Amino acid sequence: MYDIIIVGAGPAGLSSGIYASRLGAKTLILEKLNPGGQITLSSEIENYPGVCEPKSGIEFMACWPEQAKRFGAEIKSEEVTKIIPNEKKYKIKTHNNEYEAKAIIVATGATPKRAGFEGEEEFIGRGVSYCAVCDGFFYKDKIVAVVGGGDTALEEALYLSKIAKKVYLIHRRDKFRAAPHTQKKVFNTPNIEIIFNETVKKVFGKEFVEGIILSSGKELRVDGVFVFVGMKVNNELVKDLVELNEWGEVKVNLNMETSRKGLYAAGDIRENSVKQVVAAAGDGAVAAINATKYIEGE
Ligand code: NAP
């Protein structure tokens, strides 16, 4: 029996693991892929406090699992298939094993939806990005394309317009679904060029993105493509166990506690997440400290 099982080994999960194990809790972290999370797809991290020299996402996350293990956390590469609440403990099923814990921290994150154009996966971290706050600065005085017509796409296009020389905003219909006041700001921003009724067919380049081809066949020279076509919250394991908001994000209180006792959520899966590594790491610490207190109380 573990004290705490953490599901997901991105910044929120690993931070939880570091804090929980250092507080003396018998801790297991389960991750279906490699530890590190979606930030390992980022080409450079330069806004995490203390990281004064930019690092790649992979480099940045490299020692987090070792740090958690140093305090006694176990990390296993196993995909969790079910979380079953059982009296004052939880049973966790993976494909091959079953574990038990007094408290669970779910840190399974969110996955940006792909737009589906040719070369999208291949150029991730080499000009295709899903995070303007993370990668926007690398496009200072350059030309970028933003894909999408929702609030995120328009807000991020406005953010990028302050950094990049020019922003093409490419939307598949002739109307945005973003809030009217955001649309107004976009229409009034001189360096945003709106392209309606087009999708990106293909991205091309050698090492980095050099341009895109639209569905009409038109070619645009761009240095980067930012895709904001929605997020998929990875809530499958908890969607029937805890309260979610209208976007499927897990509702939590300031202790990262969900609507179910002993079940905590941290990072991009929780409501109002700002989807930044520093915030996910903070959530992880908050969840671990409170989960440990909960166990002691029980
Ligand atoms: P969203 O509202 O679902 O918008 C996704 C956009 O991407 C839509 O314009 C959609 O086009 C387009 N799209 C979807 N798949 C595509 C594809 N394969 N290729 C090209 N375009 C594609 O997603 P979101 O902007 O991330 O927002 C999610 C939720 O969070 C929304 O409810 C939003 O209001 C909310 N949000 C709120 C704020 C705020 O209040 N400040 C900020 C951000 C997000 P169609 O329009 O044709 O479907």
Side-chain angles (χ1 to χ4, degrees):
M1 162 85 95
Y2 287 91
D3 289 322
I4 299 175
I5 292 181
I6 296 157
V7 187
L14 289 169
S15 168
S16 292
I18 292 165
Y19 271 78
S21 52
R22 193 166 177 273
L23 284 166
K26 187 168 158 45
T27 303
L28 171 65
I29 305 172
L30 294 168
E31 165 62 51
K32 69 172 173 178
L33 300 168
N34 296 320
Q38 56 165 314
I39 194 63
T40 55
L41 299 177
S42 268
S43 48
E44 276 193 328
I45 314 292
E46 60 172 9
N47 58 357
Y48 194 93
V51 176
C52 299
E53 291 298 321
K55 287 182 177 178
S56 73
I58 291 177
E59 234 186 317
F60 172 69
M61 291 307 298
C63 81
W64 293 43
E66 294 315 311
Q67 200 179 355
K69 284 185 199 164
R70 180 146 51 88
F71 297 119
E74 289 174 55
I75 303 180
K76 294 187 182 182
S77 294
E78 287 183 47
E79 180 171 4
V80 175
T81 53
K82 209 160 176 50
I83 299 173
I84 305 163
N86 186 5
E87 297 278 312
K88 285 185 175 171
K89 59 189 182 190
Y90 287 87
K91 191 183 277 182
I92 294 259
K93 285 191 176 191
T94 68
H95 288 295
N96 298 317
N97 286 307
E98 271 188 24
Y99 301 97
E100 276 190 329
K102 295 171 193 161
I104 305 289
I105 299 172
V106 180
T108 44
T111 312
K113 287 186 191 158
R114 306 299 195 240
F117 51 79
E118 206 181 310
E120 185 173 5
E121 294 289 332
E122 187 190 333
F123 280 96
I124 290 175
R126 297 191 291 128
V128 170
S129 171
Y130 300 84
C131 178
V133 177
C134 317
D135 297 329
F137 192 73
F138 305 121
Y139 298 92
K140 193 162 170 48
D141 300 325
K142 294 189 173 176
I143 302 173
V144 298
V146 168
V147 181
D151 281 306
T152 308
L154 270 67
E155 286 180 10
E156 300 308 295
L158 286 165
Y159 174 84
L160 287 164
S161 71
K162 297 187 183 89
I163 302 167
K165 183 166 67 184
K166 182 176 180 98
V167 178
Y168 291 108
L169 177 56
I170 301 161
H171 182 38
R172 64 184 179 184
R173 292 188 295 133
D174 64 353
K175 277 190 185 64
F176 292 125
R177 64 170 67 227
H181 71 271
T182 312
Q183 293 193 35
K184 202 170 160 193
K185 279 198 228 166
V186 164
F187 287 124
N188 289 330
T189 303
N191 65 337
I192 297 181
E193 181 178 330
I194 296 162
I195 302 178
F196 279 132
N197 299 314
E198 289 267 30
T199 53
V200 176
K201 192 168 165 234
K202 181 181 175 175
V203 64
F204 63 88
K206 293 187 192 81
E207 204 184 334
F208 289 93
V209 167
E210 289 170 20
I212 51 177
I213 297 172
L214 302 180
S215 43
S216 61
K218 190 176 174 190
E219 190 176 309
L220 297 175
R221 305 303 287 187
V222 298
D223 302 294
V225 184
F226 286 82
V227 179
F228 302 111
V229 298
M231 288 290 270
K232 184 186 159 294
V233 180
N234 301 326
N235 63 11
E236 291 77 10
L237 290 169
V238 291
K239 66 180 194 299
D240 298 326
L241 298 179
V242 299
E243 277 178 33
L244 307 175
N245 69 11
E246 60 186 303
W247 299 309
E249 297 159 342
V250 176
K251 288 190 175 185
V252 289
N253 61 19
L254 289 175
N255 294 335
M256 300 300 139
E257 192 181 28
T258 68
S259 55
R260 186 178 285 272
K261 278 249 165 292
L263 186 47
Y264 295 76
D268 290 3
I269 190 175
R270 64 111 163 152
E271 72 175 341
N272 291 329
S273 157
V274 289
K275 301 196 167 47
Q276 297 295 300
V277 185
V278 67
D283 279 6
V286 173
I289 291 167
N290 288 299
T292 310
K293 278 187 196 160
Y294 163 77
I295 292 166
E296 282 163 5
E298 287 299 309

